[in-house]
Amino acid sequence: MANEYGNDILTLEDETGAEHSFEVLDAIDTGENRYLALTPVFDGPEELLEDSGDLVIVKVITDENGEEILVTIDNEEEMDEVADIFMERLEQDYDIVVEGNEE
């Protein structure tokens, strides 16, 4: 996944078989779990303007074959905790406006 010459881009397949590209903005390794904060990559500016701007946060797990796979986080408490960590870290590097907090 690492690319020393540019951004880390992942291509993921959804449940319908459609492929979507994401840029890895940040990664957290808690010792127990690893998480990635992703943002969609778009082909054109029109798609970017239509995007909600939400982060996609996934958990990295190892399957029975020893391969890393990305899964959604079903536990709301775990998701809130990880999302808060990512937001704190990303606010240091990006100009982020949280809905309802536009000042």
Side-chain angles (χ1 to χ4, degrees):
M1 176 173 53
N3 179 351
E4 68 182 90
Y5 299 108
N7 298 339
D8 291 337
I9 304 294
L10 300 176
T11 300
L12 306 176
E13 190 174 300
D14 67 17
E15 58 277 350
T16 66
E19 291 186 344
H20 305 276
S21 294
F22 295 89
E23 179 181 356
V24 179
L25 295 179
D26 198 1
I28 297 172
D29 190 343
T30 65
E32 292 180 24
N33 296 302
R34 185 163 171 245
Y35 303 92
L36 301 177
L38 311 173
T39 187
V41 174
F42 299 106
D43 294 328
E46 309 82 36
E47 292 175 290
L48 179 61
L49 291 173
E50 294 172 6
D51 182 53
S52 67
D54 291 339
L55 285 180
V56 176
I57 298 175
V58 293
K59 185 177 191 176
V60 182
I61 63 168
T62 304
D63 69 8
E64 62 275 356
N65 298 321
E67 295 184 33
E68 287 187 339
I69 59 174
L70 306 178
V71 297
T72 57
I73 302 169
D74 295 329
N75 181 300
E76 190 174 331
E77 185 177 313
E78 177 184 15
M79 180 60 148
D80 289 343
E81 183 178 317
V82 172
D84 288 345
I85 294 169
F86 275 126
M87 288 306 294
E88 283 180 32
R89 291 168 53 123
L90 293 171
E91 285 174 346
Q92 296 172 12
D93 296 326
Y94 298 94
D95 186 19
I96 297 176
V97 176
V98 179
E99 283 186 33
N101 291 342
E102 296 90 4
E103 295 177 3

